[in-house]
Amino acid sequence: MTIDEIITFVSGFDGVLTLTPAPGDEWPELSWGDAFFYYSPDGVVPTNVQPFATVVTKNYPGDETSRLDRPDTFRVNIHAGKEEFTRQLGRSPREAARTDVDAAVTDTVIAHPVYGNAGWLAVVNPASKTGEVTRELLGTAYRLARSRFERKAESSRE
C-alpha cells in the first residue's frame, strides 16, 4: 500500500475530512507530508477530537522507535479501539507496552509505540501481509469515530 492509496481509501468514507498539511498552510511544519483523518461531515477540522487514523512519514519527538527516518518509510496509525486491539494482538491495550516487539518492523500490525495503551494500532509500510487487515482496521476506526460523533450529536440535542 502506498500513502496515496491509503488517503484515497479512507477519504472515500462518507463524512471523512482528510487533512494533508503542506508548506504554506496553517499547520506546523512537522506535520507537512503526513495525513490526518477525521469524521467531520461538516468538513471543518474538529478542535476537540483526535483523528481516527493518521499516516506519518517522519519521527515525532518522543516517537522515534519506528525509525521513520529510513527512506520510503511511513506508519499508519489507527484508533481501532479496545476490542479490535485485543483481537489483533491477543492482549488488551493496557498491556500494550512490550519490549519484545520491534516498533520498526514493517508489514506487521503492532501496538502503536506511544498510544497503544489507548487502543491505537500501527503498521509500518503495510504491504502484502497487512494490506487487507489495514483496510479493515481503518474501516473499524472510521465506524467508531462516526459512532462517537453521532452519540455526541444526539446527546447535545436532548
Side-chain angles (χ1 to χ4, degrees):
M1 297 180 80
T2 67
I3 294 171
D4 288 339
E5 288 172 335
I6 294 165
I7 290 171
T8 299
F9 176 76
V10 178
S11 297
F13 292 131
D14 183 52
V16 168
L17 171 65
T18 302
L19 180 64
T20 53
D25 64 20
E26 64 188 282
W27 308 107
E29 183 176 348
L30 181 61
S31 66
W32 296 352
D34 296 342
F36 304 85
F37 304 102
Y38 298 89
Y39 181 74
S40 179
D42 63 3
V44 176
V45 177
T47 57
N48 59 348
V49 174
Q50 293 293 318
F52 66 84
T54 65
V55 177
V56 294
T57 58
K58 66 195 76 61
N59 292 328
Y60 277 67
D63 184 8
E64 297 90 8
T65 59
S66 291
R67 298 187 5 248
L68 300 178
D69 52 352
R70 296 174 286 168
D72 302 316
T73 303
F74 68 93
R75 187 180 67 213
V76 182
N77 305 307
I78 307 166
H79 188 213
K82 179 182 176 182
E83 286 181 27
E84 190 59 30
F85 183 102
T86 302
R87 191 174 80 74
Q88 289 294 321
L89 300 183
R91 63 184 189 277
S92 75
R94 290 180 185 225
E95 302 169 293
R98 294 213 4 214
T99 57
D100 63 335
V101 176
D102 179 3
V105 66
T106 61
D107 201 20
T108 303
V109 177
I110 62 170
H112 186 285
V114 176
Y115 301 111
N117 61 357
W120 283 77
L121 294 169
V123 182
V124 176
N125 288 10
S128 61
K129 290 190 323 188
T130 58
E132 188 57 36
V133 73
T134 298
R135 287 180 192 87
E136 291 170 8
L137 291 169
L138 289 165
T140 297
Y142 163 77
R143 287 187 295 280
L144 290 171
R146 183 175 179 158
S147 178
R148 283 189 298 273
F149 177 93
E150 290 171 350
R151 278 193 312 272
K152 185 176 178 182
E154 182 66 30
S155 69
S156 68
R157 286 192 290 263
E158 294 176 353

